[in-house]
Amino acid sequence: MSRIGKLPVQIPSGVKVALDGCAINVQGPKGRLGRNLPADCKILVEGEVIRVEPLSQDAKHRAVQGLVRTLIANMVDGVTKGFERILEINGVGYRADLKGNVLNLSLGYSHPIEYKLPEGIGAEVEKQTKITVRGVDKELVGATAAKIRSFRGPEPYRGKGIKYADEKIIRKAGKTGKK
């Protein structure tokens, strides 16, 4: 049996969980999330705890148990605390600006990049070089941060580009001249 799947998910006060077959809706102070989960598991809401059990001891059913439990736990965390991802911009003349829900990026190309943030995602720009992406859906926050990073990924020689705040860029030595 999955070690992660056996753990119960605690429901904090102020969070409502509605279960309809394989669909789950979670509503909390930060927002609401809904998702259709695989039908390979039984989801039991018992007071302030959600438990996930496989339908049988078949390998397919046991394999999905940990996934379903983690998806539910991320939904509960998202509507209570929210998720954020921090990006840093390095490079001369590279900067970001936020107008409404459109992120304007100047990344050394011949044109500025305008990226419209998806519904349910918020962003903050500090000092034109630090972007904080926030939201209640962990998957969408990560995908949005990865999309922004993909506009100009960090290069290994000078470290220019957009990188995650906790990412370490392994630097390469450049060419050496004749001696």
Side-chain angles (χ1 to χ4, degrees), residues 166-178:
D166 56 354
E167 181 179 15
K168 182 161 173 44
I169 305 300
I170 297 172
R171 302 293 284 272
K172 291 183 179 178
K175 292 182 187 176
T176 57
K178 289 186 178 180

Side-chain angles (χ1 to χ4, degrees), residues 7 12-13 32 34 36 38 51-52 59 66 87 91 99 102 106 110 114 135 137 140 157 174 178:
L7 297 173
S13 61
R32 80 182 291 151
N36 288 327
R51 292 192 188 283
V52 179
L87 300 162
K99 292 198 172 137
V102 176
S106 297
S110 62
E114 293 183 354
D137 188 355
L140 189 58
Y157 296 102
K178 289 186 178 180

Side-chain angles (χ1 to χ4, degrees), residues 26 30-35 70-85 118-122 133-145:
V26 182
K30 294 252 183 195
R32 80 182 291 151
L33 288 172
R35 179 175 220 126
T70 302
L71 290 174
I72 293 170
N74 286 341
M75 291 172 72
V76 171
D77 283 348
V79 297
T80 54
K81 298 180 235 168
F83 294 101
E84 72 175 24
R85 203 73 163 122
E119 191 69 33
I121 295 293
V133 180
R134 289 193 175 94
V136 294
D137 188 355
K138 185 175 187 178
E139 188 177 343
L140 189 58
V141 168
T144 302

Side-chain angles (χ1 to χ4, degrees), residues 4 9 65-75:
I4 292 174
V9 178
Q65 181 187 12
L67 169 73
V68 170
R69 187 254 175 220
T70 302
L71 290 174
I72 293 170
N74 286 341
M75 291 172 72

Side-chain angles (χ1 to χ4, degrees), residues 21-134:
C22 295
I24 186 167
N25 291 313
V26 182
Q27 186 172 356
K30 294 252 183 195
R32 80 182 291 151
L33 288 172
R35 179 175 220 126
N36 288 327
L37 298 170
D40 299 323
C41 289
K42 261 190 295 190
I43 302 166
L44 308 169
V45 180
E46 302 165 344
E48 299 298 313
V49 173
I50 301 173
R51 292 192 188 283
V52 179
E53 295 177 359
L55 288 178
S56 70
Q57 291 303 313
D58 185 34
K60 181 183 178 218
H61 293 155
R62 288 184 323 205
V64 176
Q65 181 187 12
L67 169 73
V68 170
R69 187 254 175 220
T70 302
L71 290 174
I72 293 170
N74 286 341
M75 291 172 72
V76 171
D77 283 348
V79 297
T80 54
K81 298 180 235 168
F83 294 101
E84 72 175 24
R85 203 73 163 122
I86 299 171
L87 300 162
E88 293 175 351
I89 301 174
N90 296 323
V92 177
Y94 291 10
R95 63 180 142 271
D97 186 29
L98 186 68
K99 292 198 172 137
N101 67 341
V102 176
L103 187 64
N104 297 317
L105 300 165
S106 297
L107 300 173
Y109 295 119
S110 62
H111 59 284
I113 296 170
E114 293 183 354
Y115 179 65
K116 187 174 183 300
L117 296 171
E119 191 69 33
I121 295 293
E124 264 181 42
V125 177
E126 293 177 30
K127 299 181 188 174
Q128 298 181 336
T129 59
K130 188 175 177 185
I131 303 168
T132 306
V133 180
R134 289 193 175 94

